[in-house]
Amino acid sequence: MTGQQSKAPRTLAEELRARSDEALAALLHARPDLLNPVPTDLTQLSARLSSRASALRALERLDRFTLQTAEALAAAPDGCPEATLRQLLAGPSRVKPHPGAAPADRAAITAALPAALETLRSQALLWGPDSGLRLVIAVREALAPSAANPGRTGLGPTLADATVGMSPARLQQLLHGAGLPATADPVTAVAALTALLQDRKRCAALLEQAPPGALALLEKLVWGPPTGTVPDAARQVTAEEARSPVEWLLARGLLLPTSPGSVVLPRELALHLRGGRSHREVEPAPPVLTATAERDPQAVDGTAAGQAYTAVRTVEELLEAWGLQSPPTLRAGGLGVRDLKRAALLLDCPETTAAFWLELAHTSGLLAPDGEADERWAPTPAYDLWLQQPVAERWTVLARGWLAATRVAGLTGTPDGKGKTRAALGPELDRTLAPSVRRAVLTALASLPPGAVADAAALLPLLRWQRPLRGGPAGPDGRDLRDHLTGWALQEAELLGVTGRGALGSPARALLAGADPEPVLEPLLPQPLDHVILQPDLTAIAPGPLLTPLAQALALCAEIESKGGATVYRFTTESVRRALDAGRTANDLHAFLTQHSRTPVPQPLSYLIDDVARRHGVLRVGGASSYLRCDDPGLLAEVLADRRAGELRLRLLAPTVLAAQAGPETLLSVLRSMGYAPTAESAEGDVLLTHPDSHRTPPRSAPVPVPDGPPTPDEVLLTAAVRAVRAGDLAATAVRRETVAGPAAGQPQTGPARTDLRQLPRTAAADTLAALQTAVLLGERMWIGYVNAEGLASQRVVDPVKVEGGYVTVYDHLSDEVRTFALHRITGVAELADQ
């Protein structure tokens, strides 16, 4: 619908009726809240478009210039021509701009205005021809400036609004003070004062008579806020009685009282003083994003890929540890502070970074509560499937989960509304704004050349222009939520390998474009190694990432001492004993190290393995109460005489058996702390291997992001909704012929008439049957009223196909399908007029 059509619409429903099905589908796609439920016709759709909640949601998705266009229209009279709107934004061409206003690029504003108006029209926030632009009522009410809420324009109420409730005598005094003749009624008095302020020559002549200081007072209010404090502002001072600049302005209606102690600057006078502009600064184009640094694109991709590999291994390391020792879930949900500190110590990173890795695993569906009575956090079965995938595919799962998640790890440790600290993995970390900010940040980085870096300070002006009303609540530091989310998004993108050295990597560019990032990432990933370098100081150096089986086997028999580009493993008595407890033998360990070492196995390491293996399993702990068995009576006598074993309360039962008053676990622990290497045995005397069982949750799905409003409808739903609205509108506006009179019809209508939603056609049963049978023979379209089994009445436009057995089969235009209706539920029929 354009303003150049010969016949302008009189209502919003008429303009919607003139739109194509594609335009209606685009409207419903952009504003899915209109589909709950699907409107019955275009009249109901226009009523929903005028609801305040729906309008405010649509306004939040406008860019700054489109929003400024809507704000200028809200400050203008309803039915504003496009030329007047252009002057409000850019200022009249022959009027000198106000010194406090930023320079306006008239050409840029003129070029950008059609697109802004088209956006407002497509969102159904604006309707009417170009000669009479009208905002939807809810939008005008939300954006119209007032004394209490001047909005972004800083304007106040119109003179007409500010003088509501003012006595006719006072209005005549204002006319006299402004040098205008008296009028017959208050309406014409307000109109005369308004016309004076809108006439630039007459208003300028009046202001030239102002005493010193009066114009300075107006300058303080001109760009807002438009209200000021004045003692006894409601006093009715006349032009003759005025002694001060404030009284001179009050006597002529250039300032108007809003309360006994405050005054407001009328909108018309503010626009005159501003040089006709509605905004101090108009931004028709987004700010130019400038790179803060330049990196080598190849170095960026290499760094991002290396960090992507590290991210995958970090999540794997965390979940492997939590599978063995699952931390408990807090009663209110989330993770305890001590467990978060242990996770940070395990990963050798700050607690805030550990919280990010935990949230990443959780949002990717790899970590969840197990749901038991004593609930604990543990890996999910999806984690085991994830482990079997290639590294590039595993990273893609993490990156997509992060990009769509509404959970914000950066909020961990911050106080909530009640002053309590938010826990990691807790229920209060969801923010619906987070996914859109992350995507906006990455999209802005993608608009820069490869290797270009932009920090948060460079990105925020662009993000604020794109969605000025989507900043979120401000924190104690005065920064809004979007500011914090932008900084967190950049930090998390670097940790995850989405960016490298601050610039967007090639895999992330593919991910943003909707392509598969795995083929891009795979060649960039460091190739895992199948060897280590053994050192004489009982350490092993992995010069790069290791194959997963090798890394797991090495972690079993050695402790990780340091991480980084090269991982350092240290062999200790405890680590070698751990491998022996898991079923490895000394020969197994020697063969494993010989196979995977690029250097000969150092003699100290061989001695360590042989020494621990020689003592391993000589003592046997069983579960009588418990007992200690050994084939060497001298060794048992040594243990019995050791004072450190006093807490076990050992007693000799036989030359090769000691009984203890402690359980097997305690007995094993104390003996190992004394330097021995006992093993546990079963009741049959077999050695028990201590393979730790990794805990898993039942099947769990990834947490669903908190929806930011109704879900976006798919194409099938949009097509069905448009058809239903069109069919309902056809039934509601169909022009019908004269109805057949019946017992329930009363006086039949004569001549064509538009139907009312609350009025159903009514004819006698015999006449209904005869009319439908005739329509089947002639192939005519009919208008029927129908009451379903629940008693809900509706009217429909149908094409009758068959009438038999008390039922009529029709093609129903409302549901866009063939349906069967019971004849006794049809209230009546009417023929449609020829179109």
Side-chain angles (χ1 to χ4, degrees):
M1 180 69 187
T2 63
Q4 285 71 27
Q5 290 181 330
S6 57
K7 185 177 180 181
R10 293 176 296 174
T11 63
L12 176 59
E14 289 182 4
E15 178 163 310
L16 294 175
R17 194 168 292 121
R19 294 191 179 191
S20 64
D21 288 352
E22 291 77 11
L24 278 181
L27 170 62
L28 296 176
H29 181 271
R31 301 178 65 177
D33 53 293
L34 302 173
L35 290 174
N36 189 21
V38 176
T40 57
D41 56 26
L42 291 174
T43 301
Q44 188 178 93
L45 176 59
S46 64
R48 290 190 188 177
L49 287 168
S50 300
S51 67
R52 182 175 178 84
S54 178
L56 291 178
R57 184 177 294 277
L59 288 175
E60 288 183 347
R61 285 162 173 76
L62 299 181
D63 61 57
R64 178 162 295 169
F65 181 68
T66 306
L67 181 61
Q68 287 180 331
T69 302
E71 291 169 344
L73 282 170
D78 202 18
C80 169
E82 184 178 344
T84 302
L85 172 62
R86 190 180 304 110
Q87 290 184 358
L88 281 172
L89 292 170
S93 58
R94 298 183 179 181
V95 176
K96 183 179 180 181
H98 189 277
D105 189 341
R106 187 177 302 277
I109 292 174
T110 302
L113 186 57
L117 292 176
E118 180 58 32
T119 299
L120 293 174
R121 286 187 186 278
S122 66
Q123 298 278 326
L125 303 174
L126 172 71
W127 64 281
D130 293 343
S131 59
L133 301 172
R134 298 178 182 275
L135 289 173
V136 173
I137 295 176
V139 178
R140 175 169 287 276
E141 291 177 348
L143 298 181
S146 63
N149 183 22
R152 284 174 163 75
T153 62
L155 294 169
T158 62
L159 187 139
D161 291 337
T163 55
V164 171
M166 187 174 288
S167 67
R170 180 56 182 164
L171 288 173
Q172 295 302 319
Q173 289 178 351
L174 297 181
L175 285 174
H176 175 70
L180 297 176
T183 60
D185 54 69
V187 176
T188 54
V190 171
L193 288 169
T194 301
L196 171 64
L197 298 182
Q198 291 177 338
D199 189 323
R200 297 203 63 83
K201 290 185 178 180
R202 289 197 295 157
C203 186
L206 178 60
L207 292 176
E208 288 177 356
Q209 305 172 16
L215 294 181
L217 289 175
L218 295 178
E219 281 296 321
K220 294 180 179 181
L221 307 178
V222 65
W223 290 109
T227 55
T229 301
V230 174
D232 196 15
R235 62 188 184 279
Q236 297 188 7
V237 60
T238 62
E240 293 77 10
E241 298 172 346
R243 296 293 181 268
S244 66
V246 171
E247 292 179 346
W248 190 91
L249 295 171
L250 288 171
R252 288 158 178 79
L254 303 182
L255 287 179
L256 294 170
T258 58
S259 70
S262 63
V263 294
V264 67
L265 180 67
R267 187 184 306 169
E268 295 84 356
L269 180 57
L271 290 173
H272 171 85
L273 296 171
R274 294 180 176 191
R277 289 177 53 174
S278 58
H279 295 78
R280 182 193 291 262
E281 181 180 6
V282 179
E283 300 179 66
V288 178
L289 179 60
T290 304
T292 56
E294 297 288 342
R295 313 287 189 205
D296 180 18
Q298 292 184 351
V300 167
D301 287 346
T303 304
Q307 188 56 40
Y309 186 90
T310 302
V312 171
R313 293 304 303 269
T314 300
V315 173
E316 178 183 344
E317 180 183 356
L318 173 66
L319 296 186
E320 284 293 326
W322 278 27
L324 300 176
Q325 295 182 349
S326 303
T329 303
L330 296 177
R331 182 178 301 177
L335 185 70
V337 175
R338 292 182 179 178
D339 292 313
L340 178 60
K341 290 181 178 179
R342 293 190 185 100
L345 186 62
L346 171 68
L347 300 178
D348 192 21
C349 65
E351 293 179 21
T352 53
T353 305
F356 165 70
W357 295 121
L358 292 171
E359 289 292 345
L360 182 64
H362 182 43
T363 55
S364 301
L366 309 178
L367 176 68
D370 59 9
E372 301 293 337
D374 184 17
E375 193 172 59
R376 311 183 79 82
W377 291 97
T380 65
Y383 168 68
D384 297 312
L385 300 176
W386 181 76
L387 280 179
Q388 301 173 8
Q389 298 170 349
V391 174
E393 189 173 348
R394 291 158 70 182
W395 179 84
T396 302
V397 172
L398 298 178
R400 285 177 174 161
W402 171 75
L403 195 57
T406 55
R407 297 187 61 79
V408 180
L411 292 172
T412 302
T414 61
D416 60 11
K418 298 180 180 179
K420 296 182 179 180
T421 301
R422 296 185 177 96
L425 300 174
E428 298 183 348
L429 302 185
D430 281 291
R431 295 296 182 272
T432 57
L433 188 60
S436 60
V437 171
R438 289 193 196 106
R439 186 167 289 275
V441 167
L442 299 185
T443 302
L445 291 176
S447 67
L448 296 172
V453 179
D455 56 16
L459 290 168
L460 279 173
L462 175 60
L463 301 185
R464 291 168 182 154
W465 187 92
Q466 291 173 341
R467 294 292 185 270
L469 297 183
R470 293 279 288 173
D477 57 356
R479 302 172 62 204
D480 58 27
L481 179 60
R482 175 173 48 201
D483 292 2
H484 293 286
L485 289 175
T486 301
W488 291 333
L490 290 173
Q491 296 170 10
E492 293 169 356
E494 193 72 16
L495 287 171
L496 186 54
V498 172
T499 59
R501 302 181 64 189
L504 196 66
S506 297
R509 292 179 184 271
L511 183 66
L512 279 179
D516 186 0
E518 296 172 26
V520 183
L521 178 61
E522 186 66 39
L524 300 173
L525 288 171
Q527 295 301 315
L529 305 176
D530 62 351
H531 65 273
V532 295
I533 301 174
L534 296 177
Q535 303 277 80
D537 60 350
L538 301 180
T539 61
I541 298 177
L546 299 177
L547 292 170
T548 299
L550 175 58
Q552 292 176 343
L554 198 58
L556 179 65
C557 59
E559 307 289 351
I560 297 178
E561 190 170 78
S562 66
K563 302 176 184 177
T567 305
V568 178
Y569 295 85
R570 177 167 294 279
F571 295 91
T572 64
T573 301
E574 290 76 15
S575 66
V576 173
R577 186 176 63 221
R578 182 173 65 233
L580 296 174
D581 287 342
R584 307 295 193 273
T585 65
N587 292 334
D588 293 337
L589 293 179
H590 284 302
F592 167 74
L593 295 176
T594 302
Q595 177 184 357
H596 294 287
S597 175
R598 285 294 178 89
T599 58
V601 178
Q603 192 177 53
L605 181 56
S606 297
Y607 284 170
L608 174 65
I609 294 174
D610 293 339
D611 182 59
V612 175
R614 184 174 58 256
R615 294 183 291 115
H616 184 266
V618 177
L619 295 176
R620 301 290 185 91
V621 174
S625 201
S626 56
Y627 65 85
L628 183 64
R629 183 172 67 83
C630 182
D631 295 335
D632 184 0
L635 182 58
L636 283 183
E638 177 183 337
V639 173
L640 184 62
D642 198 320
R643 294 181 179 180
R644 292 175 294 175
E647 62 179 291
L648 301 176
R649 290 181 290 174
L650 298 173
R651 183 167 58 90
L652 185 66
L653 296 182
T656 58
V657 179
L658 288 177
Q661 299 298 317
E665 294 81 7
T666 304
L667 183 55
L668 280 168
S669 177
V670 172
L671 290 176
R672 285 171 178 170
S673 66
M674 294 167 59
Y676 298 100
T679 59
E681 69 177 12
S682 65
E684 291 77 19
D686 299 326
V687 175
L688 294 177
L689 301 180
T690 57
H691 267 301
D693 293 329
S694 186
H695 182 46
R696 293 290 185 269
T697 70
R700 293 282 190 267
S701 57
V704 179
V706 176
D708 186 14
T712 302
D714 56 20
E715 186 176 352
V716 176
L717 176 57
L718 287 175
T719 302
V722 171
R723 288 180 178 177
V725 172
R726 290 290 192 196
D729 193 61
L730 175 62
T733 61
V735 180
R736 64 184 188 277
R737 296 176 181 171
E738 179 180 357
T739 58
V740 180
Q747 296 295 328
Q749 298 181 357
T750 58
R754 290 193 180 274
T755 64
D756 190 295
L757 280 173
R758 296 167 296 179
Q759 181 182 1
L760 298 178
R762 295 186 179 278
T763 55
D767 296 330
T768 298
L769 177 61
L772 291 173
Q773 290 173 336
T774 303
V776 172
L777 294 175
L778 300 180
E780 293 182 343
R781 183 171 296 178
M782 302 294 290
W783 181 65
I784 69 171
Y786 185 73
V787 180
N788 64 14
E790 287 77 26
L792 300 177
S794 62
Q795 52 183 339
R796 302 165 182 267
V797 175
V798 300
D799 295 330
V801 178
K802 180 174 61 177
V803 180
E804 65 178 10
Y807 292 90
V808 55
T809 302
V810 302
Y811 176 77
D812 182 13
H813 289 268
L814 179 60
S815 59
D816 195 25
E817 62 182 1
V818 176
R819 295 190 59 183
T820 299
F821 296 111
L823 287 173
H824 70 276
R825 294 191 179 278
I826 297 178
T827 64
V829 298
E831 297 180 3
L832 297 179
D834 296 332
Q835 301 295 320

